[in-house]
Amino acid sequence: EYFAGKVHAWGLVQDRSGKVRRRFEVAIEGGWEGEEFVLREDFVYDDGEQSQRIWRIRKLDEHRYEGRAADVVGVAQGLAYGNALQWRYTLELPLDGRVWHIQFNDWMFLHSEDVLVNRATLTKFGLRVGEVTLFFQRAATSGGDA
C-alpha cells in the first residue's frame, strides 16, 4: 500500500568501515498490473550515473511476498508484520569491470503514514561489505480537504 503512487527517496551507501561511498535519489512509482504490483525505481547518483530497476511483486499470503527484477538473481523474499518489512535478495552489482552478486537484507520500517526508513546490510560470502540507508517520502496527494 505504501508504494502505490509516487514516492521520493534519498539515501547513501557506506562501505564496511562506515565510509560514505555514494549518495543517491530515487523517483519511485508503483501500481497494480493484474496480480502483480509493479514498482519502478529511477536512481540518480551523486556522480551523475543513472539506473532503473523495475520490480514485479506478488503477495503470497497475509505476510509473505516475492519479487523479481532484471538485476536480481532468483527471487526476492519479503516478510511483513506490523510496521516492518524484511526484504532479502541477491543483486548483480557491476564494479570495476566485474559483476558481483551481493546479498541485501533490507529492513523497512513505516515511521508514519508518509515516511518509511530502510536499513540494508550488504554481504558477500556471508561477510558484511556495506550498508545502505534510505529514506522514503510519499508524494502529496491532491483532491483532499484543504
Side-chain angles (χ1 to χ4, degrees), residues 26-63:
V26 192
I28 302 166
E29 189 163 358
W32 287 99
E33 291 182 10
E35 295 291 314
E36 291 183 322
F37 188 80
V38 178
L39 190 68
R40 290 174 177 82
E41 301 175 314
D42 291 302
F43 294 83
V44 178
Y45 295 89
D46 57 352
D47 61 4
E49 181 186 345
Q50 296 183 23
S51 66
Q52 183 182 69
R53 178 172 302 115
I54 300 174
W55 286 99
R56 296 195 168 274
I57 300 167
R58 289 187 176 271
K59 186 172 185 174
L60 302 176
D61 61 32
E62 183 181 357
H63 300 288

